[in-house]
Amino acid sequence: MRKYPATLVRVFENKLEASANTGDDITFDENDLKQATDELDINVRQVLEIPSAYSSTRALPDEIMEYGCVDIEPNESDQGETYQFVTE
């Protein structure tokens, strides 16, 4: 699996393991992306490029879409730059 999709799948899996509800939008941030790339031993120069590359331009990996997530959107938050996996 390529770097960006693999990273997103790992972020999503980590969120599920941390009890995220698959019926809701799932929020993640730069730290979640860095954790995923570290776990996968993947080198990505700017991890925030990953969600930006998928925001409305690429289909999410099948492993994420099977849970009803259809897109990634920026999440307006005062906790820094965050994104969310958006459900239908």
Side-chain angles (χ1 to χ4, degrees):
M1 187 178 267
R2 299 179 59 92
K3 290 180 180 182
Y4 285 14
T7 301
L8 287 178
V9 168
R10 181 54 63 96
V11 167
F12 191 79
E13 291 170 344
N14 287 346
K15 290 295 185 174
L16 292 183
E17 288 174 12
S19 301
N21 184 351
T22 58
D24 297 330
D25 296 342
I26 298 173
T27 302
F28 63 96
D29 61 16
E30 183 176 9
N31 291 330
D32 295 313
L33 293 162
K34 286 180 180 178
Q35 177 184 346
T37 57
D38 288 347
E39 290 174 3
L40 296 168
D41 197 24
I42 293 174
N43 186 18
V44 175
R45 193 173 10 174
Q46 294 292 329
V47 294
L48 289 176
E49 291 176 0
I50 298 171
S52 295
Y54 279 84
S55 295
S56 301
T57 58
R58 294 184 187 175
L60 291 174
D62 291 340
E63 297 91 337
I64 297 172
M65 291 183 69
E66 70 184 34
Y67 285 93
C69 295
V70 294
D71 201 1
I72 293 176
E73 293 180 352
N75 183 26
E76 297 298 326
S77 170
D78 53 351
Q79 299 175 357
E81 192 165 354
T82 61
Y83 292 85
Q84 58 189 1
F85 295 106
V86 179
T87 57
E88 295 184 274

